[in-house]
């Protein structure tokens, strides 16, 4: 702790921060609500960005955005390197995704989330120079058993044994992309089933680490920012994550190396986020297995959120009702 002329300040994010941050994800989700299923993903994202930025400005912390909406020249708010918050309070690294699943929102499909992840300042890996990572995420049973360097069949068999269930009952989540055609075939050839995700591999990874989930593992190539965000959640869940960089070409690999990233190297949870003092906060935009989406119930708008805190291993679920006449025209 330190004392200044503004009072006593925590040097690290404290337990109240999660309850403050959830107001920002709730606001982003509510502002995106009118655009669900309307086919305009950019309008939904823009509304969510504006709302999240406004509410983050009221939070007592100094948050430097490590993972945001893009570089300053391309994003007017929540860009990489922007400092948000009141400046009174802990210094934090922050990752934001006002809508993880903008296409899902525009189409009215499931699993769109508004997400914020926070850790102590200087502890989040800045992987912005390489857009994609290869990831494998699972629950605590995978620790010491699963390894991203093994084949997917070997990992499925090892995890099935650790979980005490037959391979035929294993469910593996993977983004439904052309790049994963071979991976999907290998999963099915091993005897496991697939859960194909249209988008939103943050929710897929978290569900793979949750003990009550029907998903046993989430694998494949997805966004590097989403990998860092997922690692913050895994810290609270006690789960397993490994990633390797997946540059699209030699030029991107060289850019990543120049930025200090390691190619052909396995990053663990502690290397993706080196602090255990993490928060992961998400509010549902559309319905999903993790949280319910925003819904109008007569005079109120109801949100469903989850707050995961790494230091205490706490999982909180927060449901909030807002007066609709103050949010929707």
């Amino acid at each position: 702790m330190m004392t200044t002329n503004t009072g006593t300040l925590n040097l690290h994010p404290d337990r109240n921060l999660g309850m403050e941050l959830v107001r920002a994800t709730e606001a982003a989700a509510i502002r995106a609500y009118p655009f669900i299923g309307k086919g305009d993903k950019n309008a939904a994202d823009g509304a969510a960005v504006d709302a999240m930025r406004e509410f983050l400005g009221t939070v007592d912390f100094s948050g430097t955005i490590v993972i945001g909406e893009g570089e300053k020249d391309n994003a007017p708010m929540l860009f990489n390197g922007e400092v948000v918050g009141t400046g009174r309070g802990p210094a934090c690294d922050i990752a934001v995704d006002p809508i993880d699943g903008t296409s899902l929102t525009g189409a009215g499909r499931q699993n769109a989330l508004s997400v914020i992840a926070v850790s102590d300042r200087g502890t989040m890996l800045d992987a912005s120079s390489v857009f994609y990572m290869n990831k494998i995420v699972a629950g605590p049973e995978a620790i010491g058993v699963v390894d991203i360097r093994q084949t997917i069949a070997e990992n499925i068999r090892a995890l099935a044994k650790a979980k005490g269930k037959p391979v035929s009952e294993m469910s593996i989540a993977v983004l439904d992309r052309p790049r994963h055609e071979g991976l999907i075939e290998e999963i099915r050839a091993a005897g496991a089933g697939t859960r194909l995700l249209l988008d939103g591999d943050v929710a897929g990874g978290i569900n793979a680490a949750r003990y009550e989930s029907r998903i046993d593992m989430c694998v494949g190539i997805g966004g590097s920012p989403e990998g860092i965000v997922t690692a913050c959640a895994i810290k609270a869940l006690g789960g397993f994550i490994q990633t390797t960089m997946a540059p699209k070409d030699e030029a991107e690999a060289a850019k990543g190396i120049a930025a200090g990233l390691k190619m052909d190297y396995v990053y663990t949870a502690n290397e993706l986020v080196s602090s255990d003092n993490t928060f992961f906060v998400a509010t549902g935009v559309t319905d999903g297995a993790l949280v319910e989406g925003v819904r109008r119930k007569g005079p109120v708008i109801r949100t469903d959120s989850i707050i995961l805190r790494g230091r205490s291993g706490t999982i909180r679920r927060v449901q909030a009702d807002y007066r609709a006449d103050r949010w929707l025209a």
Side-chain angles (χ1 to χ4, degrees):
M1 303 282 285
M2 71 178 180
T3 302
T4 71
N5 57 7
T6 59
T8 301
L9 303 180
N10 287 318
L11 291 173
H12 305 288
D14 67 16
R15 62 186 177 187
N16 295 320
L17 185 59
M19 297 303 294
E20 287 294 306
L21 294 172
V22 76
R23 295 168 56 243
T25 56
E26 288 170 352
I30 291 171
R31 290 300 189 199
Y33 173 75
F35 301 98
I36 295 173
K38 302 297 176 59
D40 192 344
K41 67 177 185 178
N42 292 329
D45 192 47
V49 169
D50 290 346
M52 180 175 282
R53 181 62 178 83
E54 180 181 355
F55 272 78
L56 282 175
T58 70
V59 178
D60 283 337
F61 77 143
S62 178
T64 299
I65 296 179
V66 176
I67 298 166
E69 288 293 283
E71 299 297 334
K72 185 173 183 178
D73 290 342
N74 298 321
M77 289 194 297
L78 299 181
F79 53 81
N80 296 358
E82 182 179 2
V83 177
V84 295
T86 65
R88 299 186 301 271
C92 305
D93 282 350
I94 180 169
V96 299
D97 198 343
I99 302 181
D100 177 40
T102 54
S103 296
L104 300 177
T105 302
R109 296 192 175 108
Q110 292 191 335
N111 290 319
L113 301 170
S114 178
V115 174
I116 296 174
V118 169
S119 66
D120 293 319
R121 183 73 186 108
T123 59
M124 275 189 195
L125 179 70
D126 182 357
S128 58
S129 55
V130 176
F131 192 75
Y132 285 113
M133 285 177 174
N134 189 24
K135 313 167 194 175
I136 186 163
V137 187
E141 301 91 348
I143 297 172
V145 171
V146 169
D147 192 311
I148 199 169
R149 291 163 290 198
Q150 297 178 160
T151 67
I152 187 61
E154 289 172 327
N155 280 323
I156 290 171
R157 288 193 293 268
L159 185 58
K161 182 178 180 181
K163 297 184 79 168
K165 63 192 295 185
V167 169
S168 61
E169 293 182 9
M170 295 288 285
S171 182
I172 313 301
V174 57
L175 284 171
D176 189 7
R177 299 287 188 272
R179 64 178 177 266
H180 289 149
E181 288 179 358
L183 177 61
I184 291 167
E185 289 178 3
E186 289 181 49
I187 293 168
R188 292 171 177 169
T194 54
R195 184 71 62 89
L196 299 184
L197 307 174
L198 292 172
D199 210 339
D201 65 341
V202 170
I206 293 171
N207 280 325
R210 293 168 60 226
Y211 71 90
E212 73 269 40
S213 175
R214 296 181 181 180
I215 296 174
D216 297 290
M217 189 189 302
C218 186
V219 299
I221 295 172
S224 296
E226 288 81 359
I228 307 301
V229 169
T230 301
C232 284
I234 294 304
K235 291 274 189 168
L237 295 169
F240 170 89
I241 182 171
Q242 286 182 342
T243 72
T244 57
M245 296 298 159
K248 63 178 181 292
D249 52 33
E250 291 184 4
E252 190 178 49
K255 182 180 177 183
I257 292 169
L261 297 177
K262 304 173 186 178
M263 304 299 123
D264 301 319
Y265 179 82
V266 177
Y267 284 89
T268 64
N270 287 333
E271 291 167 301
L272 297 170
V273 184
S274 59
S275 170
D276 286 330
N277 196 27
T278 61
F279 288 91
F280 171 90
V281 180
T283 299
V285 178
T286 60
D287 285 342
L290 186 62
V291 284
E292 293 183 349
V294 180
R295 58 194 64 207
R296 176 79 178 262
K297 288 183 172 289
V300 304
I301 305 167
R302 180 165 295 170
T303 60
D304 187 36
S305 305
I306 189 169
I307 302 172
L308 308 178
R309 189 181 183 213
R311 173 164 288 175
S312 60
T314 306
I315 302 171
R316 284 186 171 86
R317 294 190 173 275
V318 179
Q319 193 175 83
D321 287 349
Y322 288 83
R323 279 180 50 179
D325 61 355
R326 295 190 177 183
W327 286 84
L328 302 178

